[in-house]
Amino acid sequence: MDSRRLGDTGPITSCLGFGCLALSGVYGEADRSESLALLHNVLDTGVTLLDMSDDHAHGEIERLVGEAVRPWRDDVLLSTRTLSRSGNVPLRQACEASLERLGVDHVDLYIVGREPGAVPVEETAGRLGELVAAGKVRYAGLTGVTGDELRRAHAVHPITALAMEYSLWHRDAELDQLPVARELGIGLIAGRPLGRGFLAGRGGSARELDPGDARRADPRFDSANLPGNIARLRKLEAEAATMDVSTGRLALAWLLARGPDVVPVPSTRDPVHLEMNAGSVRLLLTDATCRRLEAAFPHGAAAGAPLPG
């Protein structure tokens, strides 16, 4: 699998990462032994970036990943994230807990998410800098920030990566954060690159999802928003049909074509889907194809607004 650098001065990673969210059970029950086997398959495809959170299954995913990658630790880029709120567990303590669960002495990329009531972003950046200085973290990342907050944080301590939702279905990153990240030489980890499965043709409505599936609460899967979303999906399907590829593979290829600073991290529990996702790195799109896809999925399309015209 091809590689790319995460930001101007960040680590080298596979151009496609793997998001561990699906292994947490958020999209339905996940078997531990099957999840371990899948993670080994992930590494076999050439993926080196594993993206997770200390909140996934109450930290169990970090334990799972740590066990899976132990024989190949030096070849894997471990990225984990935590939340920064007012009065929460101190960042250093949260980081040390993640290191213990992963069974490592440092995490390659530590991403701090921000929610209402969080400490000032400058303070978060300073704490990340302390973790880097202590050798517990190699590179610092942020999520849940505006372009202005990203700039202010980077002025305190270099931010290597911005993690946020980015896909054909959700292109808001292009309006604010992505331009700032590119100005500062910060890489983008594109989460939910398949629109929580929608761009791969799965989950056409909340009623089709398993009872424990978190997407049931996502308004984008609500029946009121489906007409506009399904119409856009049909355009993606038509484009994919002309190229004889799956919609998911085409959606990931579009993201990879956004630039060498974008690293999608699709998540799946299915080995077949994993193989299909990996195939996206070999799909090269023309500028005309990208323009047609972007016209079908304009900014703000995620809410399911009617198609223009």
Side-chain angles (χ1 to χ4, degrees), residues 43-78:
L43 299 178
D44 287 341
T45 66
V47 167
T48 60
L49 172 62
L50 299 181
D51 182 61
M52 73 207 90
S53 167
D54 63 6
D55 190 45
H56 289 168
H58 306 290
E60 179 58 28
I61 292 303
E62 290 180 327
R63 296 187 183 91
L64 182 76
V65 170
E67 179 180 342
V69 307
R70 195 158 294 129
W72 304 280
R73 173 64 184 100
D74 292 341
D75 301 319
V76 178
L77 186 69
L78 294 178

Side-chain angles (χ1 to χ4, degrees), residues 81-154:
R81 64 189 72 185
T82 192
L83 285 175
S84 174
R85 307 186 192 91
S86 177
N88 73 332
V89 175
L91 191 57
R92 188 184 187 97
Q93 185 177 335
C95 179
E96 290 174 346
S98 287
L99 295 179
E100 182 177 355
R101 287 189 291 265
L102 286 163
V104 298
D105 61 1
H106 72 273
V107 65
D108 300 295
L109 177 63
Y110 197 51
I111 301 173
V112 178
R114 295 178 52 75
E115 288 190 342
V119 299
V121 70
E122 292 87 351
E123 184 175 339
T124 297
R127 291 177 180 177
L128 278 167
E130 292 172 0
L131 291 172
V132 172
K136 298 180 183 294
V137 170
R138 286 195 172 169
Y139 299 96
L142 288 175
T143 186
V145 295
T146 65
D148 177 66
E149 289 173 327
L150 183 62
R151 192 188 305 278
R152 286 158 43 201
H154 190 69

